[in-house]
Amino acid sequence: LVFDFRFDPLEKKMSNNNVITFSDVLDAKEKISPYVHECPVVTSSTLDNMVGRKVFFKAESFQKTGSFKARGALNAVLINTLR
């Protein structure tokens, strides 16, 4: 799993200079885990029936901030702090 495009704010365009690997994701998870809640994954039989497939939702609203943004922001802060 590799995401190879990022928005470069200095260049104001997409670039593929920063490749995010699965290992990067696991490292980020380890770094932020002491500070964020482990959120449940929930399902909806109503939506499952509507789309004809099983649908899963990550309930990030249980984070202290009420959104998933805490994970990315915290990881960015920790990366820059540890450098």
Side-chain angles (χ1 to χ4, degrees):
L1 176 67
V2 175
F3 302 100
D4 59 0
F5 289 97
R6 282 190 162 184
F7 183 75
D8 184 339
L10 298 176
E11 297 287 326
K12 296 183 180 170
K13 65 180 182 178
M14 296 299 287
S15 73
N16 63 353
N17 297 335
N18 300 314
V19 175
I20 301 171
T21 65
F22 188 64
S23 177
D24 294 331
V25 174
L26 294 177
D27 289 345
K29 179 184 179 199
E30 185 177 327
K31 255 188 270 169
I32 68 172
S33 65
Y35 309 103
V36 296
H37 296 295
E38 186 122 351
C39 296
V41 174
V42 296
T43 59
S44 167
S45 58
T46 302
L47 285 175
D48 292 349
N49 292 331
M50 289 172 66
V51 299
R53 299 201 184 274
K54 192 80 170 157
V55 179
F56 298 89
F57 299 93
K58 185 81 189 280
E60 292 291 326
S61 58
F62 288 102
Q63 289 299 336
K64 293 177 185 179
T65 61
S67 73
F68 67 91
K69 295 173 185 167
R71 294 180 188 279
L74 180 58
N75 187 51
V77 168
L78 290 174
I79 286 172
N80 289 321
T81 302
L82 298 173
R83 283 187 181 169

